Amino acid sequence: MASDGSRLVRCTSLPGLSSGAKRPMGVASLASPRRAANQRRRAPQIIEAAARVFAERGYHGATTQDIADVLGIRQASLYYYFSSKEAALEAVCLKGVEGFFDAAKTIAAGPGSAQERLTLLINSHLSPLIDRRDFVKVFQNERKFLPAESRKRIGRWSRGLERIFEDVIAEGVAKGEFRADLDPRLTTLAILGMCNAATTWYRKENVPVSHIAKEFARLALQGIDAPEAARRPRRR
Amino acid sequence: MASDGSRLVRCTSLPGLSSGAKRPMGVASLASPRRAANQRRRAPQIIEAAARVFAERGYHGATTQDIADVLGIRQASLYYYFSSKEAALEAVCLKGVEGFFDAAKTIAAGPGSAQERLTLLINSHLSPLIDRRDFVKVFQNERKFLPAESRKRIGRWSRGLERIFEDVIAEGVAKGEFRADLDPRLTTLAILGMCNAATTWYRKENVPVSHIAKEFARLALQGIDAPEAARRPRRR
């Protein structure tokens, strides 16, 4: 992180970021211990405010002043946490994607059939809708505005997550649990697409995430055909 | 349209917009007939340039100067087509959603089983990826930045499209083609979600739309379970 993370140096102590052990530096080192402790305590609030503002207004429609306004602090105080608006976007995107990846990796490497693990993967992918919807939305819609270097970094996380789904699906095909003619790549993109879209309608639809996860897992595994129809050979 | 469409008055002659019969007014009426004809001829190019710029940079990241640059014209000339950047966004969003809606309505009212019509609906929903990907992307990601009145108008189109899918699915349930325990609303959102996400990966994946449509329709109808697995009672 040292060579390419300088823009993020002041927010690396935010919980949930991979290099969470690092202490805030720069401005922080000049502050009184009490003030520094106070700033660390506020870090999660700061990143949440950034996520909310970016999710609502889009990256280009948002200013650091907007984020400061949500928090009721001075714009200058934000620079303790983020060296720039771009750095705030990267921190929000990282937090948006990171939880997904770690949870998915654990599930994929865990016990159970491919069907069972895919069900858990879908559930795990949807659950951050409850408390991290803004982060996920920003990741989905705004990461294209990151500078090239961090876009690449974020892209690697993203492809890693896709790969986890793809491998579990390919394993299910190899073991005869899933259709032999399945395209694991397109199936992964379909499943992630249907889950990711939930960030756009979740709040309006008023359905518990657990219900969405159950319906989506069943849809992915069994489809919507009635069991009798599924047994008949297709006409086309 | 007269009472709430004044901001769009100069672009209502663009092909594909619902009030396409109207002639450009205002600036157009002062131009020479030859110039006016030339401007009408360029209208589709102008709206395509706007779609491309909004899709790449986001609404707030784009300026009318960017659109003019793509076209190699003066920024002032754009005002013949759009009275404002917001009006350009509305025109792009309308064109993004309108084709979907009309095609879907025809399919839903047409012949065939619910399975067959749902397959056609998925195919029809994906096919604009080939030539109208930018419009669809802008509709998906930027319509939240429309002013309230046009956001409402666009929202009605959008809900109308969802309703078409929902009705065909509900009909399939009622006729015993689809599972009796299916939630038509969540199933619609899942299918539209997986199709819509294709705007984000279509260019990278290099798979023909016809193949995506076939795989997605089969996934929605039959799921990914092997036929034997689909026949066995589920363990959970």
Side-chain angles (χ1 to χ4, degrees):
Chain A
M1 189 99 187
S3 66
D4 59 359
S6 57
R7 286 175 43 262
L8 265 169
V9 73
R10 295 197 190 88
C11 59
T12 48
S13 71
L14 293 174
L17 291 179
S18 50
S19 40
K22 278 192 187 171
R23 284 198 51 213
M25 289 165 70
V27 180
S29 62
L30 298 174
S32 71
R34 190 175 166 178
R35 194 171 168 193
N38 190 34
Q39 282 168 328
R40 269 197 299 279
R41 196 176 45 78
R42 290 209 77 180
Q45 268 177 283
I46 308 287
I47 195 174
E48 264 179 40
R52 198 192 324 162
V53 169
F54 289 149
E56 274 172 17
R57 302 178 200 191
Y59 176 66
H60 282 300
T63 62
T64 49
Q65 183 64 57
D66 294 332
I67 303 173
D69 287 349
V70 164
L71 291 158
I73 63 174
R74 285 178 311 117
Q75 188 183 14
S77 308
L78 271 185
Y79 288 95
Y80 172 78
Y81 304 97
F82 305 117
S83 58
S84 66
K85 197 172 85 159
E86 269 180 1
L89 179 62
E90 173 158 3
V92 170
C93 285
L94 270 175
K95 199 166 157 62
V97 80
E98 196 197 47
F100 286 108
F101 186 79
D102 292 342
K105 213 162 56 174
T106 308
I107 291 166
S113 67
Q115 288 167 335
E116 284 162 342
R117 278 176 292 146
L118 189 63
T119 301
L120 290 173
L121 281 175
I122 290 172
N123 191 71
S124 154
H125 196 74
L126 283 165
S127 58
L129 283 180
I130 301 171
D131 54 359
R132 278 198 303 148
R133 182 174 155 276
D134 287 339
F135 289 90
V136 183
K137 255 185 119 164
V138 172
F139 170 77
Q140 288 173 355
N141 300 332
E142 313 299 327
R143 72 177 186 273
K144 59 179 175 284
F145 300 123
L146 285 169
E149 196 47 54
S150 47
R151 203 166 59 237
K152 264 192 219 161
R153 220 166 16 236
I154 296 277
R156 279 194 288 272
W157 283 90
S158 188
R159 283 191 298 280
L161 180 72
E162 289 169 5
R163 192 58 189 267
I164 290 171
F165 275 76
E166 224 173 306
D167 287 349
V168 169
I169 292 168
E171 192 193 314
V173 172
K175 289 187 175 164
E177 287 181 61
F178 299 150
R179 285 194 272 121
D181 58 357
L182 212 60
D183 180 330
R185 176 76 187 147
L186 276 187
T187 307
T188 295
L189 294 170
I191 292 173
L192 287 174
M194 78 184 192
C195 292
N196 289 338
T199 55
T200 64
W201 51 257
Y202 170 64
R203 227 172 252 176
K204 271 182 293 186
E205 296 294 324
N206 204 20
V207 188
V209 170
S210 57
H211 179 65
I212 303 170
K214 207 176 125 219
E215 288 293 312
F216 278 17
R218 207 169 156 205
L219 180 63
L221 292 172
Q222 298 178 271
I224 69 176
D225 274 351
E228 307 72 39
R231 263 173 248 167
R232 277 199 309 267
R234 315 290 301 171
R235 264 189 290 174
R236 261 161 304 99
Chain B
M1 188 98 185
S3 66
D4 58 1
S6 55
R7 286 176 39 263
L8 263 170
V9 75
R10 294 195 192 90
C11 58
T12 48
S13 69
L14 293 174
L17 291 179
S18 51
S19 40
K22 278 192 188 169
R23 283 199 49 214
M25 288 165 69
V27 179
S29 62
L30 298 173
S32 71
R34 190 175 166 179
R35 194 171 168 193
N38 190 33
Q39 283 168 327
R40 269 196 299 279
R41 196 176 43 77
R42 289 210 77 179
Q45 269 178 283
I46 308 287
I47 194 173
E48 264 178 40
R52 199 195 320 166
V53 169
F54 290 149
E56 274 173 17
R57 303 180 198 187
Y59 176 66
H60 281 301
T63 63
T64 50
Q65 183 63 58
D66 294 331
I67 302 173
D69 288 348
V70 164
L71 292 158
I73 63 174
R74 285 178 312 117
Q75 188 183 14
S77 308
L78 271 185
Y79 288 94
Y80 171 79
Y81 304 95
F82 305 116
S83 58
S84 66
K85 196 172 86 160
E86 268 180 2
L89 179 62
E90 174 158 2
V92 170
C93 286
L94 270 175
K95 199 166 157 63
V97 80
E98 197 196 48
F100 285 109
F101 186 79
D102 292 343
K105 214 163 56 175
T106 308
I107 292 166
S113 66
Q115 287 167 336
E116 283 163 342
R117 278 176 291 146
L118 189 63
T119 301
L120 290 173
L121 281 175
I122 289 172
N123 191 71
S124 155
H125 195 73
L126 282 166
S127 59
L129 283 181
I130 300 170
D131 55 359
R132 279 200 301 148
R133 183 175 154 275
D134 287 339
F135 290 89
V136 183
K137 255 186 118 164
V138 172
F139 170 79
Q140 289 173 354
N141 300 331
E142 314 298 326
R143 71 178 187 272
K144 59 179 177 284
F145 301 124
L146 286 169
E149 197 46 56
S150 46
R151 204 168 56 237
K152 265 192 219 160
R153 219 166 19 236
I154 297 276
R156 279 194 290 271
W157 283 91
S158 187
R159 282 190 300 279
L161 180 72
E162 290 169 5
R163 193 56 189 267
I164 290 171
F165 275 75
E166 223 172 308
D167 287 349
V168 169
I169 292 169
E171 192 193 315
V173 171
K175 289 188 175 163
E177 286 182 60
F178 300 151
R179 285 193 271 120
D181 59 355
L182 212 59
D183 180 331
R185 176 76 187 144
L186 276 187
T187 306
T188 295
L189 294 170
I191 292 173
L192 288 175
M194 77 185 192
C195 292
N196 289 339
T199 56
T200 64
W201 52 256
Y202 170 63
R203 228 172 251 177
K204 269 181 295 185
E205 296 294 324
N206 205 20
V207 187
V209 170
S210 57
H211 178 65
I212 303 170
K214 207 176 124 219
E215 290 291 314
F216 278 18
R218 207 171 156 202
L219 179 63
L221 291 173
Q222 298 178 269
I224 70 176
D225 274 350
E228 307 74 39
R231 265 174 246 164
R232 276 199 309 267
R234 314 292 300 171
R235 266 190 288 176
R236 262 162 304 101

